[in-house]
Amino acid sequence: MPSSKWRSLAVVCAVASAAASVLIATPAHADGTLRGHAEERGKFIGAAIATSPLANETAYRNIASTEFNQITAENAMKWESTEPNDNQYTFTGADQIVNFATQNNQQVHGHTLVWHSQTPGWVQGLSATNMRAAMNEHIATVVGRYANNATVVSWDVVNEAFNEDGTFRQSFWFNTLGQSYIADAFRAARAADPNARLCINDYNVEGINAKSTAMFNLVQSLRAQNVPVDCVGFQGHLAIQFGFPNDIQQNMQRFANLGVQVRVTELDVRMQTPRTAAKDTTQAQYYTNVINACNAVTACAGVTIWGFTDKYSWVPDTFSGEGFALIYDNNYAIKPAYTAVHNALDGGGGGDTTPPSTPGTPTASNVTSSGATLSWGASTDTGGSGLAGYNVYREQGATDPLLGSPTTNSFTLTGLTANTQYQVYVRARDGAGNLSGNSQLVTFTTTGGGGTDTTPPSTPGTPTASNVTASGATLTWTASTDTGGSGLAGYNVYREQGATDPQLGSPTTNSITLTGLTANTQYQVYVRARDGAGNLSGNSALVTFTTTGGGTGGACTATGTVQTQWQTGYVIQPARVTAGSSAINGWTVTFTLPAGHTITGSWNTVLTVSGQTVTARNVGFNGNLAAGAFGEFGFQVSRPNGNTALPSGYTCTSP
Ligand code: XIL
């Protein structure tokens, strides 16, 4: 769990109220600030911040620091801002935001790494190999810059990947790399900062619809493949003329049940001009509804508003004839929407401190080797904020893990261990976050294990490969059935390689997206089904496919020569790239460093290092090679004293 950067939201009342006294605008702070109330709930309330007013306006700075405990850069961390030209980074705006947040004890959510918009043209025109390398390098550099900075706790790794109908957006990312760019981006971000929380973010996914369901399915499948998706962001660009997505809480909860954190990342509620009191009231209700939904879902970390003053909002520039979407007006005076957010964070103004009644004793049904369904007598809530749902815990002594937070008085447990006793209890939760007493325990034992089920599932159908790219492919096969009692648990996917066949993944459904494959390489893959008792089916027939890229096989070759060495290091000079029988425009060389060896410098190339795998790309003058011609680069390595192993596996692809 990437939690070590998750600074505790210690209440900073002293700081907040001292700053509040210089606030120009508003009377409402007598009741406490938004951040003060959010912190009492263990949530964040945030705002998108623009660098220009931050530098130039005291009122803007005062509200930004006083009212919010979380900040997202509105534009300053986007690719066009941080890497406008290849490998030329500028962090002026990003650092300005991060430093402001650090001074004001706020957390920063990094926005955004891989998006089709506000990404420079030079990225959009790259070949598949170079685009993937550029993406990995950008993520490594930008995330890496703040990896040891406790203020930056999370990132939007992939933004707006879907169309409204739930298909993948045909962005230059998808069109060039296929859907594998998503998994690759998350893996690169995890490698750059193992402690940051990594989010996928989109708009029009607040309610349950085709787009949010596609996102749900993607997150579930990525996590089944151990792709590090920790969090889902619902942008929340709402408009009062379109109605409120009433199933927002239910939608948040179904994502939460996948084990991810959820958050509202870009909330604003626009209206058609002119602004009226009636529209303000409707807008305020929308803000209330969003905050209430987040309050009611334990896994919802908080809500970020996309700005705070109507003076600086993207809405009038983007949606013709619409505006007034934020919680302060043009003159930094609060609007009804501010009071709505304030009161919802405060638990309805009066403050509900009465917990719901204790739930009835759960009963367990449909107990299998890996799951069970629990139901219990519902609770009631009289404190005013209303019953929000239940928390389900496993009794385990000192700390009882939370198994889920359903909104109704029933819950299906999955992923349990076969032949194991479970004791589970339930607490009710209200809209103000009050928890009831513990219900009585229910005790049940999962079936299977211990040799009861020795019947393997049926053999899966022959996989078919689709979306084959230079580094990935999607495999799908006909599902197996299991009659032995423990039930079908999933599949193991293997690469056929002779003596030992490496396992490529273990999905729970009859499909997997392979990533990180080598370009221009033949793969033979088969699948075995597995049941809840661990029995494996026979091997499916093989599927054979060849990844794209890498020119025509003989596009280029690469070698490395030791120029000089000493006890603790050496220089490879030249590393030479030679074109094959045709001219090439650009090259990418990969090679493997021996364990313990690290790159300390390089020249005439752009290097990306991932573990022991090094990727070297050409620079301007040595990329265009005539047939049979060579270009050179070099690098220096430090090694454990006297360890004379050398880099190996030089592989060259083009473009
Ligand atoms: C918007 C900014 O607010 C504008 O200033 C900029 O001109 C365009 O982008 N979804 C996102 C945000 O993820 O990054 C967008 O921000 C709004 C929509």
Side-chain angles (χ1 to χ4, degrees):
M1 187 66 185
S3 58
S4 70
K5 292 185 74 167
W6 189 253
R7 266 193 299 117
S8 91
L9 292 173
V11 185
V12 285
C13 279
V15 177
S17 54
S21 63
V22 296
L23 229 162
I24 318 166
T26 70
H29 305 93
D31 276 338
T33 59
L34 301 183
R35 67 181 286 174
H37 293 307
E39 281 159 7
E40 281 161 14
R41 289 178 179 273
K43 307 263 185 195
F44 67 73
I45 181 76
I49 295 298
T51 50
S52 167
L54 188 69
N56 297 320
E57 287 191 42
T58 310
Y60 188 93
R61 270 196 300 276
N62 283 342
I63 294 175
S65 60
T66 311
E67 293 289 339
F68 303 100
N69 57 4
Q70 185 274 343
I71 281 183
T72 302
E74 186 175 1
N75 289 300
M77 291 187 173
K78 292 173 181 174
W79 195 315
E80 67 176 12
S81 304
T82 55
E83 194 189 7
N85 299 302
D86 191 0
N87 218 21
Q88 284 177 13
Y89 288 91
T90 53
F91 290 106
T92 320
D95 284 353
Q96 184 193 344
I97 299 273
V98 173
N99 292 340
F100 179 82
T102 304
Q103 284 158 18
N104 295 297
N105 198 19
Q106 297 164 313
Q107 50 168 281
V108 168
H109 177 65
H111 173 82
T112 179
L113 298 168
V114 180
W115 189 25
H116 64 276
S117 185
Q118 293 182 277
T119 301
W122 69 263
V123 183
Q124 304 187 26
L126 293 174
S127 69
T129 307
N130 289 352
M131 189 181 290
R132 195 179 300 276
M135 180 184 85
N136 286 333
E137 189 219 62
H138 180 81
I139 292 173
T141 305
V142 177
V143 175
R145 180 178 180 84
Y146 301 105
N148 295 318
N149 185 321
T151 298
V152 182
V153 297
S154 52
W155 284 96
D156 283 330
V157 178
V158 173
N159 195 26
E160 300 182 354
F162 289 101
N163 292 318
E164 299 305 294
D165 66 0
T167 55
F168 282 110
R169 180 190 290 274
Q170 310 289 294
S171 66
F172 64 88
W173 293 113
F174 182 84
N175 290 342
T176 312
L177 299 174
Q179 73 171 88
S180 66
Y181 83 89
I182 299 175
D184 285 356
F186 276 92
R187 290 192 173 115
R190 176 67 99 231
D193 183 353
N195 296 319
R197 201 178 285 277
L198 305 181
C199 308
I200 184 163
N201 193 50
D202 217 319
Y203 63 91
N204 286 352
V205 291
E206 294 73 29
I208 296 182
N209 55 39
K211 192 176 187 180
S212 65
T213 299
M215 186 143 156
F216 177 88
N217 290 335
L218 176 70
V219 170
Q220 185 171 43
S221 118
L222 289 175
R223 287 172 59 84
Q225 296 166 66
N226 291 325
V227 177
V229 182
D230 307 314
C231 139
V232 171
F234 310 100
Q235 290 188 3
H237 293 295
L238 305 179
I240 61 171
Q241 70 272 21
F242 296 148
F244 188 80
N246 282 315
D247 43 12
I248 183 170
Q249 181 185 331
Q250 199 187 338
N251 188 44
M252 282 183 176
Q253 190 61 53
R254 72 171 171 160
F255 278 95
N257 292 347
L258 292 178
V260 290
Q261 187 195 73
V262 296
R263 50 176 64 204
V264 178
T265 50
E266 304 182 14
L267 178 62
D268 52 17
V269 182
R270 57 188 192 270
M271 60 180 70
Q272 289 164 323
T273 56
R275 180 183 169 202
T276 65
K279 290 178 190 172
D280 271 9
T281 305
T282 306
Q283 177 187 58
Q285 186 63 49
Y286 278 44
Y287 274 98
T288 300
N289 294 349
V290 172
I291 302 285
N292 280 349
C294 185
N295 286 344
V297 175
T298 310
C300 182
V303 174
T304 307
I305 301 171
W306 203 241
F308 56 89
T309 166
D310 288 337
K311 187 173 181 182
Y312 301 109
S313 164
W314 74 308
V315 168
D317 298 335
T318 313
F319 303 95
S320 166
E322 297 177 58
F324 306 111
L326 295 169
I327 63 174
Y328 289 81
D329 72 10
N330 284 314
N331 302 312
Y332 296 108
I334 62 165
K335 293 164 62 182
Y338 173 93
T339 310
V341 172
H342 180 277
N343 289 349
L345 288 172
D346 193 20
D352 172 5
T353 56
T354 311
S357 65
T358 300
T361 309
T363 55
S365 60
N366 293 332
V367 180
T368 66
S369 62
S370 64
T373 299
L374 303 181
S375 316
W376 53 88
S379 298
T380 52
D381 185 67
T382 56
S385 63
L387 192 70
Y390 301 86
N391 289 353
V392 180
Y393 300 91
R394 180 173 185 188
E395 170 62 55
Q396 276 196 322
T399 5
D400 295 338
L402 179 64
L403 303 178
S405 302
T407 53
T408 64
N409 57 326
S410 161
F411 189 58
T412 299
L413 303 167
T414 56
L416 306 182
T417 308
N419 202 27
T420 302
Q421 179 179 293
Y422 285 83
Q423 295 198 295
V424 176
Y425 63 91
V426 180
R427 302 179 72 177
R429 158 174 71 73
D430 68 17
N434 298 302
L435 287 179
S436 75
N438 300 355
S439 76
Q440 299 291 310
L441 292 173
V442 57
T443 303
F444 63 91
T445 301
T446 49
T447 60
T452 50
D453 175 6
T454 55
T455 310
S458 66
T459 301
T462 310
T464 56
S466 61
N467 293 332
V468 179
T469 65
S471 65
T474 300
L475 303 183
T476 313
W477 53 90
T478 303
S480 297
T481 52
D482 185 68
T483 55
S486 63
L488 192 71
Y491 301 85
N492 292 353
V493 180
Y494 302 91
R495 180 172 184 189
E496 170 62 53
Q497 277 197 321
T500 6
D501 295 338
Q503 188 172 333
L504 303 178
S506 48
T508 53
T509 64
N510 56 326
S511 167
I512 187 171
T513 297
L514 303 170
T515 59
L517 306 183
T518 308
N520 199 34
T521 302
Q522 178 178 297
Y523 284 82
Q524 294 198 295
V525 176
Y526 63 91
V527 180
R528 304 180 70 177
R530 94 192 115 70
D531 67 18
N535 298 304
L536 287 180
S537 75
N539 301 355
S540 76
L542 291 172
V543 56
T544 303
F545 62 92
T546 302
T547 49
T548 60
T552 51
C556 53
T557 53
T559 53
T561 305
V562 179
Q563 182 190 57
T564 175
Q565 58 182 305
W566 55 100
Q567 278 303 106
T568 56
Y570 53 96
V571 169
I572 301 290
Q573 167 68 22
R576 176 171 291 186
V577 176
T578 307
S581 52
S582 312
I584 58 172
N585 299 309
W587 44 260
T588 302
V589 173
T590 59
F591 55 91
T592 306
L593 285 178
H597 292 215
T598 51
I599 300 270
T600 53
S602 66
W603 47 95
N604 300 342
T605 184
V606 179
L607 287 191
T608 323
V609 181
S610 170
Q612 296 309 108
T613 303
V614 183
T615 303
R617 292 192 289 146
N618 64 278
V619 290
F621 69 85
N622 61 6
N624 293 338
L625 301 176
F630 65 80
E632 293 181 341
F633 67 101
F635 57 94
Q636 181 170 322
V637 180
S638 102
R639 65 184 176 196
N641 199 341
N643 178 332
T644 56
L646 288 173
S648 60
Y650 291 94
T651 308
C652 184
T653 57
S654 174

